[in-house]
Amino acid sequence: MTNYYDVLGVPRDASESEVREKFRLLAREYHPDRFQDVAEKKLAEERFQVLTEAMNVLTSPTRRKAHDLELEKNRPISQDLAAQARVYLAKGVKAYREGNFPEAITQFDLSVKHYDRDAKAQHYLALACMKVIGQVRRGVEAIEAAIQLDGNNAIFHRDAGKLYMQAGLNSKAERHLEQALAWIPEDAETLRLLQEVRPKKGQSGERKTPSGVFGRKG
């Protein structure tokens, strides 16, 4: 994707006035009216359009924030960080299989902090959080991150349903379970979970959330 900071040659923390000033300087240099040759004029027009778009994006708080998020999503990851994340992931899987769920959470959390675009690591973190009292909030954050990275994964949606059921948020649980069922319509576990969550609707909307689940960070 186009990095508009690079287009204008300004730092990521440049103020709006700095962005506008840099645009004015570049706009004078690349204004199409300065060129007589047809080919040069066309290149200048294209360059001027990109400069204008960059200025418009970086002087709009909403568009600039969205641009920053896209840059962050597409930023190159250090091979060292990615490799270290895989090491933590492997340690977490080992701890999880041994039933040491607090240690698994620690290792999976380190993995996603080193490399937060691995849907599998986020999912493992969510699974471990299901096993430890007081970690439902962190589990919800992790499973939602996994779904953002891989929204078509039925297992992720099913496990999101489980976590929201633990949190007492049955309507959200039902939505995720229904999404899972759209991809795996005969999945016995998903069908069972839906049977559990649906009868509770209509009593008070949502089952009362256990004290502390979302009242404080687990």
Side-chain angles (χ1 to χ4, degrees):
M1 67 171 292
T2 302
N3 184 327
Y4 290 133
Y5 295 98
D6 289 345
V7 168
L8 292 177
V10 295
R12 288 283 291 269
D13 60 352
S15 66
E16 180 180 335
S17 61
E18 289 172 329
V19 169
R20 292 185 182 278
E21 178 60 27
K22 191 60 181 288
F23 169 74
R24 281 193 289 268
L25 292 172
L26 293 172
R28 284 198 295 268
E29 182 179 351
Y30 290 100
H31 198 285
D33 291 346
R34 295 186 63 250
F35 300 89
Q36 301 300 319
D37 181 80
V38 174
E40 290 182 347
K41 191 177 188 68
K42 181 175 177 58
L43 288 173
E45 287 173 348
E46 293 173 354
R47 173 69 171 170
F48 191 80
Q49 288 177 356
V50 174
L51 290 170
T52 301
E53 178 66 11
M55 190 272 293
N56 289 336
V57 168
L58 298 185
T59 56
S60 165
T62 302
R63 296 182 68 186
R64 183 170 181 169
K65 182 178 180 180
H67 182 59
D68 288 346
L69 289 173
E70 283 299 312
L71 290 177
E72 188 65 19
K73 186 191 304 183
N74 291 284
R75 65 185 166 85
I77 297 296
S78 163
Q79 291 301 310
D80 289 341
L81 288 178
Q84 188 61 56
R86 288 192 294 271
V87 171
Y88 288 127
L89 178 60
K91 290 181 179 179
V93 170
K94 182 176 183 294
Y96 186 89
R97 289 174 177 169
E98 293 172 349
N100 188 349
F101 302 119
E103 176 62 18
I105 290 174
T106 297
Q107 297 300 327
F108 292 142
D109 198 47
L110 286 168
S111 180
V112 301
K113 283 178 178 175
H114 278 74
Y115 181 59
D116 60 4
R117 285 182 275 166
D118 185 346
K120 182 172 68 174
Q122 297 281 8
H123 181 228
Y124 269 123
L125 175 57
L127 292 178
C129 287
M130 284 191 213
K131 304 289 188 179
V132 179
I133 294 174
Q135 292 294 332
V136 174
R137 176 195 287 271
R138 184 69 184 95
V140 166
E141 292 173 351
I143 200 64
E144 290 292 355
I147 289 171
Q148 284 186 351
L149 293 164
D150 185 4
N152 296 327
N153 191 308
I155 303 304
F156 290 178
H157 283 284
R158 186 183 68 191
D159 290 338
K162 291 180 184 178
L163 277 157
Y164 278 119
M165 287 175 70
Q166 285 187 0
L169 301 174
N170 292 321
S171 62
K172 287 187 175 183
E174 184 177 3
R175 285 197 295 272
H176 280 288
L177 292 169
E178 288 175 342
Q179 189 69 63
L181 210 60
W183 285 299
I184 46 174
E186 303 301 324
D187 183 64
E189 185 175 8
T190 304
L191 290 167
R192 177 182 61 78
L193 291 168
L194 273 171
Q195 287 179 346
E196 288 183 22
V197 75
R198 280 173 171 163
K200 297 184 178 68
K201 291 184 65 181
Q203 295 177 2
S204 59
E206 296 282 7
R207 178 163 56 86
K208 186 177 179 182
T209 303
S211 176
V213 170
F214 286 109
R216 67 176 187 274
K217 193 170 182 65

